[in-house]
Amino acid sequence: MGSATKWLSRAVQGLRSFAYAGQEERPKIGLALGGGFARGIAHIGVLRIFEEHEIPLDFLAGTSVGALIAAAYAAGTPLAEMESRASETHFRDFGRWTLSRMGMASNEPLEEFLHKFTPAKTFEELRIPLSIVATDLMGGESVYFTSGEIAPALRASCAYPGLFLPVRYTNRVLVDGFLTETVPAPAARKLGANLVISVHLEPGLLENGPRNTIEVISRSFSILQMAATQSWRAATDVLIEPNVHHILWDEFGKMPLLVEAGAIAARAALPAIKAALADWPSELRARTGLRNFASRSSA
């Protein structure tokens, strides 16, 4: 009886080892969502296509509004609910005007806005591992939040310089993550992603000149970003760029157009995603949730 029990135990362990081996061998997919204020609603369209084609996501990383979308999705918020919330969004949902030498508004309301999407308060409660990127204003380097409270990390990642007050947290002075990682592809790599899919939201164009100080600041940073070397591209395997350059930072009312732009761009990227996975054996894809995506994207 004892030997039979040992044999059965070894057999079960062998089966478990086989199953775990399949999981270890398949590519871990990370989705990196960039910033862009209202243009970030396009991320919802990208995620919709990923769901339709059953593309598995092992990791999520977000900068600025990308961090908000990523946090809500990682917590399990349905995309339909995210669309509904987005259609009703206004500046007051995440910003409160204030008088300060450090900025024009506080983004403290962002914490309550996040709780409209999910009751989750810590990274440990999320269904998908998440990294939120902020910038250390003093050291000029990326800060990666992957554990602890979500809300302070989100506020820091969304603290657009000149508009929002910097966030003091973990003995640092933090501002928007876009300064160091416009798209947080390096953050997805650090989480463990083998295949990184990045979503970049092209800055809005000003055809009639800036309307206010915010647009002067925003456009200035956009020009700097376009001129600078963007290291996040080197960490990207597949790039998705929704056509949202004509949408301004505060045009939340264009939610349907933004979601559709994200969906169109993600659908166009399906062949590139499939090609990036082409080196993996078909039987391995079948065991690890990539079979349906392969067949659908071929259709």
Side-chain angles (χ1 to χ4, degrees), residues 1-205:
M1 181 67 69
S3 61
T5 301
K6 290 181 180 178
W7 178 88
L8 180 60
S9 176
R10 285 197 298 270
V12 171
Q13 289 177 359
L15 289 173
R16 286 176 176 173
S17 296
F18 176 79
Y20 292 158
Q23 291 298 315
E24 291 170 359
E25 290 176 9
R26 85 162 175 83
K28 298 296 184 180
I29 301 176
L31 181 64
L33 304 180
F37 284 100
R39 293 188 295 278
I41 296 174
H43 292 318
I44 297 175
V46 172
L47 288 166
R48 178 197 292 170
I49 298 302
F50 275 49
E51 285 194 354
E52 289 179 1
H53 290 267
E54 299 181 21
I55 301 174
L57 292 177
D58 299 288
F59 305 105
L60 287 168
T63 291
S64 199
V65 68
L68 173 62
I69 299 295
Y73 192 74
T77 305
L79 292 178
E81 182 179 339
M82 292 172 68
E83 285 192 45
S84 177
R85 295 283 185 191
S87 66
E88 301 170 353
T89 298
H90 301 281
F91 179 82
R92 63 177 177 272
D93 291 313
F94 52 85
R96 182 176 65 246
W97 297 112
T98 185
L99 292 176
S100 172
R101 292 177 297 176
M102 304 296 286
M104 295 182 285
S106 166
N107 65 5
E108 288 181 358
L110 188 58
E111 295 193 20
E112 183 59 33
F113 188 60
L114 173 64
H115 294 154
K116 291 182 179 181
F117 290 95
T118 173
K121 295 183 178 181
T122 67
F123 285 84
E124 289 76 12
E125 297 174 72
L126 301 176
R127 298 182 183 182
I128 302 174
L130 169 68
S131 179
I132 289 179
V133 183
T135 299
D136 184 329
L137 189 61
M138 305 305 294
E141 60 187 8
S142 295
V143 178
Y144 304 102
F145 291 94
T146 59
S147 62
E149 294 182 272
I150 300 171
L154 180 60
R155 285 187 55 216
S157 185
C158 294
Y160 198 87
L163 173 57
F164 291 118
L165 303 177
V167 174
R168 296 180 180 274
Y169 187 65
T170 61
N171 298 318
R172 296 175 183 264
V173 180
L174 303 170
V175 292
D176 201 308
F178 86 90
L179 289 175
T180 49
E181 292 185 24
T182 305
V183 182
R189 289 282 183 203
K190 287 182 177 293
L191 281 175
N194 308 117
L195 174 64
V196 175
I197 303 170
S198 293
V199 184
H200 177 232
L201 305 174
E202 186 71 23
L205 301 179

